[in-house]
Amino acid sequence: MGLVYVVTGATGGLGVEFIKQLSKRGDTVIACARNTEKSEELKALIDGKTVHAVTLDTVNVDSVKQAAKQIQQIAPEGIDVLINNSGAYGARGHDIMHNPASNYIQAFETNVGGTSNVTQALVPLLRERSTRVIVNISSIMGSIDLNSVRGGSPELKKAFADSTAYRVSKTAENMLTREFAAYLDEEDFVVIAMHPGWVQTSMGGDQAPTTPEQSISGMLSVIDKRSKDMNGTFVTFEGESIPW
Ligand SMILES: NC(=O)c1ccc[n+]([C@@H]2O[C@H](COP(=O)([O-])OP(=O)(O)OC[C@H]3O[C@@H](n4cnc5c(N)ncnc54)[C@H](OP(=O)(O)O)[C@@H]3O)[C@@H](O)[C@H]2O)c1
């Protein structure tokens, strides 16, 4: 029998692919989304046995509390792995000199506030079992060391000129990952920030070199091979360490 996974942002490119691959291999998946009816791909996977749907808006505390109750009903013996996948890029088209403060706040609210809300609500259910894994889908764009000042082709710099709010929020989400990793360390949790690659989704665009299938199968194999010493690390979907 497989494990019980909770995945947020299950309507999106990476989210729905997590649901597909996890259910195919026999894990139980609780697919959370603001509107679970929105995605035909997701709807086709929901069977109420292996794949359950739960309405969850990560930035709305009442919605998160309600979702946690429903998840507990679906999985009364607890959950094994929480994948905080939902994320926001912020409005496109603003370079650093024209980026409104609202853009930072929007990205921060989802990528930091949403991740925190869901984690706080689901840690009690993770504590019910011994697996205790939390994966925050981060981005290499949140790495301060790898910021384009220190490398990156002119094409990439141009393609991501409007990414400042997103980068800043993902850097903050990385610190949140380390904070939860430290807080939960003595309870044998493994809390990881993971870069999924540059992936062909509505966020990643058509030019991205990695397919959702490749990204998710890579991330699942990293999660499957986890060990306690991975707590508080930042890794790619291929398991390579990323400088903070
Ligand atoms: N694609 C890439 O190249 C890439 C690279 C690095 C990191 N990432 C990260 O990977 C994760 C998944 O992104 P993606 O590429 O699959 O993008 P996507 O297709 O835009 O999916 C984003 C998902 O997040 C959900 N979401 C946003 N705000 C939410 C909220 N408040 N509550 C619940 N769900 C919310 C969206 O739901 P709705 O359908 O309701 O809007 C959607 O399902 C994100 O964290 C992103 O930052 C992606």
Side-chain angles (χ1 to χ4, degrees):
M1 173 153 158
L3 301 181
V4 180
Y5 284 72
V6 173
V7 181
T8 65
T11 53
L14 291 178
V16 79
E17 186 62 30
F18 265 123
I19 311 302
K20 236 185 244 173
Q21 294 195 21
L22 285 167
S23 58
K24 197 169 174 192
R25 69 187 208 174
D27 289 304
T28 299
V29 206
I30 302 174
C32 301
R34 290 193 274 215
N35 176 4
T36 55
E37 295 288 304
K38 177 180 168 184
S39 155
E40 290 303 322
E41 232 181 331
L42 175 61
K43 270 165 59 182
L45 293 165
I46 296 164
D47 60 6
K49 291 182 193 138
T50 309
V51 182
H52 303 260
V54 168
T55 303
L56 190 163
D57 180 342
T58 65
V59 302
N60 178 325
V61 175
D62 288 338
S63 166
V64 174
K65 278 188 187 155
Q66 196 53 39
K69 274 190 203 153
Q70 258 182 281
I71 293 169
Q72 189 179 22
Q73 280 162 7
I74 295 165
E77 288 170 11
I79 62 172
D80 293 286
V81 181
L82 166 62
I83 300 181
N84 283 310
N85 166 71
S86 59
Y89 193 85
R92 306 251 177 186
H94 302 287
D95 68 23
I96 192 167
M97 290 300 285
H98 303 91
N99 211 6
S102 56
N103 216 4
Y104 291 96
I105 291 163
Q106 189 204 341
F108 198 91
E109 187 181 26
T110 308
N111 298 339
V112 181
T115 301
S116 170
N117 288 340
V118 175
T119 306
Q120 288 171 350
L122 296 186
V123 160
L125 284 176
L126 287 156
R127 282 188 176 127
E128 295 293 314
R129 293 163 85 100
S130 60
T131 318
R132 300 185 174 188
V133 173
I134 301 172
V135 180
N136 293 336
I137 306 301
S138 178
S139 171
I140 207 162
M141 290 170 94
S143 165
I144 292 174
D145 277 345
L146 297 182
N147 182 276
S148 53
V149 171
R150 301 178 62 139
S153 68
E155 292 76 22
L156 275 182
K157 283 185 192 172
K158 194 163 169 239
F160 295 118
D162 66 0
S163 65
T164 307
Y166 180 70
R167 285 179 190 274
V168 170
S169 70
K170 286 291 182 181
T171 306
E173 187 182 16
N174 284 348
M175 180 58 90
L176 183 72
T177 301
R178 283 292 282 257
E179 285 285 276
F180 271 114
Y183 179 73
L184 296 166
D185 189 51
E186 283 180 4
E187 295 180 65
D188 281 341
F189 270 72
V190 176
V191 188
I192 312 167
M194 198 177 289
H195 170 58
W198 179 16
V199 194
Q200 294 157 16
T201 64
S202 61
M203 190 185 291
D206 298 343
Q207 310 238 306
T210 310
T211 64
E213 293 79 7
Q214 292 166 331
S215 170
I216 301 303
S217 77
M219 288 199 277
L220 289 180
S221 98
V222 175
I223 296 169
D224 290 345
K225 289 187 209 133
R226 69 192 169 270
S227 55
K228 181 68 192 98
D229 59 4
M230 281 178 77
N231 189 36
T233 57
F234 184 18
V235 294
T236 70
F237 72 110
E238 290 166 318
E240 281 162 17
S241 172
I242 306 175
W244 295 101

